[in-house]
Amino acid sequence: MGAGIVEVFARNGIDVIAVDASDEAVERGRSFLTKSTGRALERGKIDQAAYDALHGHVTYASALESLAPCQLVVEAVPEHLDLKKEIFAQLDKIVADDAVLATNTSSLPVTEIAASTSNPKRVVGMHFFNPAPVQQFVEVIRTVITADDVFEDVKALAQRIDKKPVIVGDKAGFIANALLFGYLNHAVAMFESRYATREDIDAAMKLGCGYPMGPLALLDLIGLDTAYEILDTMYKQGRDRLHAPSPIIKQMVSAGLKGRKTGRGFYTYAGAGSPEIVADGHTPGEGAPEGVIVREVSSVGVVGSGTMATGIIEVFARAGRSVTFVARTEERVAGVLAAIEKSQARAVEKGRATREEADALLARLHPSTSRADLAEVDLVVEAIAEDLDLKQELFRDLDRICKPGAILATTTSSLPIIDCAKVTSRPEDVVGMHFFNPAQVMKLVEVVHTVSTSEDVVATVQSLCRELGKHPVTCGDRSGFIVNALLFPYLNDAVKMLSANYATADDIDTAMKTGCGLPMGPFELLDVVGLDVSLAIERELYIEFREPGYAPAPLLEHLVTAGYLGRKTGRGFRTYA
């Protein structure tokens, strides 16, 4: 981080004195800078003249006294409050009275750091994100005693070096980490309880939400020791139980398993500092477990006629399966066929399929308005409304109609699957198969087993998903499964942050998109999903886990009551044309 900040300033024509604790540490920092700028030179992002000019702006030293002539000093040492306070106390005596002192802390109280100096008015937070030369976002943290001119100068400087500054108050975690680390901590708890494997948790968030990294891989990159310090600081300041570090984090840090930098964290790496993940004793095997025989699935039934059902029908037919789909009326049957024909016409037009392939796919479709036509299929996927009474009535009927050994699957995203299974005489054959919308595009399928689901049913559905070109992740039958259980508490935290007037919706969205690389900010996403849908999911999570921190934010409830449901009504957290 220190070397990255040096590069940012030097690249913008600002003279920098780079200081570290020893000559050896200085040389390590110099090598980071040389390697980073060398890559930029090789890739044509800068030319030789720019490379030489950048390095010409940097001088190196191993004594704090070398910083005496600086107008701004940015501290980027490890996240230990006592260490930062000691350094600021020394800097206070070294630099000129009008020099600005900035801390790059991501979680520690800037006010407390400022109090270690004789002039706390000149201390400000300037939190860069890693890698600093690439990430545009900078949190500028203003304490209650920061002088107005200091704050304005640092904000202007951030803009001058082509960053997007967001101004926040001195609260643990600021915007990005306050939202990010609650989510990361929840993912660790999910892994610690063996609810899902590390690979499935990470794949679920990457494929289901479009995140650049899964939460456990991200923690390995950040460093588990750093993550523990951030969470511990946030918990001590806010006493939010969701920020209390999961016990396994401290255990791993004590064992020296700190992530990439030590070669081992949640994953095992090719070496210390290497990004290459290598197999270890926890890496899951491929295929079905030993002794488990996968059932044959050559014909499939789908019940439903909405967008999700239509997508699932097309996915199965594209994979060569005979698909019998049942809708309530002939009109709805015609609507499904028209939608799939239109989709296939687009695929042919764009060269993704030939006319012959499209015709063959359509020939594999067998529409019906009678559930009795599902009698001989090997698997039935239910994709009707999210109403437990309706689903239970359907599963009773399917249990009566379908042949022995047929698998009964539900696409529910929130209801207990065991409640569907218990109304049948074959609960061992009932499983969750949660596709993501649009099913034709999204790779992820959550395969959800109940306490009754047999191993061969789980293995069969996993294998089938792979044949469909999907990525299955497996978890138990509890509210939210993997994706929603991790996503919606984070969205709820964002609403609470907005309600507390800590930051605007625009600043929070900017923080999470530019600071954390997420494809959408929380308020953009809430408006797309629908505030009523989001509220319903958050209520389910709260009822399931009885965690006070999961209680839906009152602001979200008020917006739903007012009919402001997001894009679909033209108004949610934002107003649409």
Side-chain angles (χ1 to χ4, degrees), residues 210-516:
Y211 286 8
M213 293 184 76
L216 302 179
L218 179 56
L219 279 164
D220 275 356
L221 176 62
I222 292 168
L224 271 63
D225 51 342
T226 301
Y228 180 83
E229 291 291 340
I230 291 172
L231 284 166
D232 190 49
T233 299
M234 288 167 58
Y235 175 70
K236 286 174 178 174
Q237 282 199 29
R239 298 297 173 182
D240 184 342
R241 207 173 69 82
L242 298 177
H243 291 151
S246 293
I248 194 174
I249 300 178
K250 188 171 186 180
Q251 294 164 19
M252 292 174 73
V253 171
S254 297
L257 310 178
K258 299 179 182 179
R260 280 194 195 181
K261 58 188 169 189
T262 60
R264 190 173 167 196
F266 288 104
Y267 295 90
T268 299
Y269 299 87
S274 171
E276 182 188 352
I277 295 175
V278 297
D280 57 21
H282 300 289
T283 303
E286 295 183 4
E290 188 175 349
V292 175
I293 299 174
V294 173
R295 302 184 191 182
E296 182 181 351
V297 179
S298 58
S299 60
V300 174
V302 178
V303 181
S305 57
T307 301
M308 180 59 79
T310 302
I312 293 170
I313 293 165
E314 186 172 352
V315 165
F316 279 119
R318 186 188 298 159
R321 297 301 192 280
S322 171
V323 185
T324 300
F325 69 90
V326 179
R328 290 200 305 269
T329 65
E330 291 291 350
E331 184 181 5
R332 289 185 176 274
V333 165
V336 171
L337 288 172
I340 295 176
E341 287 170 358
K342 185 177 180 181
S343 172
Q344 287 303 299
R346 281 199 305 269
V348 171
E349 183 182 339
K350 295 182 178 180
R352 294 195 299 263
T354 64
R355 183 70 263 172
E356 291 74 20
E357 289 170 336
D359 290 342
L361 184 153
L362 294 170
R364 288 191 282 271
L365 303 181
H366 306 286
S368 175
T369 56
S370 173
R371 294 176 184 173
D373 290 333
L374 300 171
E376 295 302 317
V377 299
D378 301 313
L379 166 76
V380 177
V381 178
E382 163 276 310
I384 63 174
E386 283 287 273
D387 182 303
L388 184 57
D389 290 339
L390 290 176
K391 290 182 188 290
Q392 287 183 326
E393 184 274 326
L394 173 60
F395 271 80
R396 288 189 190 95
D397 214 17
L398 293 175
D399 184 42
R400 176 183 60 81
I401 292 168
C402 295
K403 67 183 181 182
I407 296 172
L408 308 182
T410 171
T411 61
T412 183
S413 61
S414 58
L415 297 173
I417 292 164
I418 193 64
D419 284 348
C420 294
K422 73 180 183 182
V423 302
T424 73
S425 62
R426 51 173 116 185
E428 68 279 3
D429 290 336
V430 178
V431 69
M433 199 172 180
H434 179 215
F435 288 81
F436 284 70
N437 198 21
Q440 303 96 318
V441 176
M442 298 293 281
K443 290 283 187 182
L444 185 69
V445 177
E446 289 177 317
V447 178
V448 188
H449 56 82
T450 73
V451 292
S452 301
T453 310
S454 65
E455 280 192 279
D456 65 323
V457 167
V458 174
T460 299
V461 173
Q462 289 171 332
S463 175
L464 177 61
C465 287
R466 295 187 188 100
E467 291 178 30
L468 298 176
K470 303 298 183 184
H471 186 111
V473 298
T474 307
C475 59
D477 181 23
R478 73 183 196 193
S479 186
F481 311 139
I482 298 175
V483 173
N484 284 353
L486 292 179
L487 175 65
F488 280 89
Y490 146 72
L491 296 176
N492 198 39
D493 282 347
V495 179
K496 291 177 183 177
M497 182 179 284
L498 178 67
S499 301
N501 296 311
Y502 179 67
T504 66
D506 287 345
D507 282 351
I508 294 170
D509 278 355
T510 297
M512 301 315 292
K513 287 193 296 183
T514 60
C516 300

Side-chain angles (χ1 to χ4, degrees), residues 111-125:
T111 305
E112 198 167 338
I113 295 170
S116 64
T117 72
S118 63
N119 183 14
K121 293 180 180 180
R122 64 168 168 178
V123 178
V124 70

Side-chain angles (χ1 to χ4, degrees), residues 148-176:
D148 289 343
D149 60 332
V150 168
F151 159 73
E152 292 295 341
D153 285 348
V154 171
K155 178 184 173 183
L157 176 63
Q159 293 168 331
R160 176 183 160 193
I161 58 177
D162 202 27
K163 299 297 182 184
K164 292 181 179 178
V166 167
I167 314 307
V168 293
D170 188 16
K171 172 186 172 184
F174 315 131
I175 297 176

Side-chain angles (χ1 to χ4, degrees), residues 13-51:
I14 298 171
D15 290 333
V16 186
I17 300 172
V19 176
D20 214 319
S22 66
D23 290 338
E24 181 183 5
V26 169
E27 286 307 309
R28 185 172 64 249
R30 189 201 299 262
S31 71
F32 289 151
L33 181 60
T34 302
K35 186 176 180 181
S36 172
T37 53
R39 279 199 306 267
L41 181 62
E42 289 173 8
R43 295 171 182 175
K45 294 181 178 178
I46 59 174
D47 57 22
Q48 188 64 50
Y51 176 91

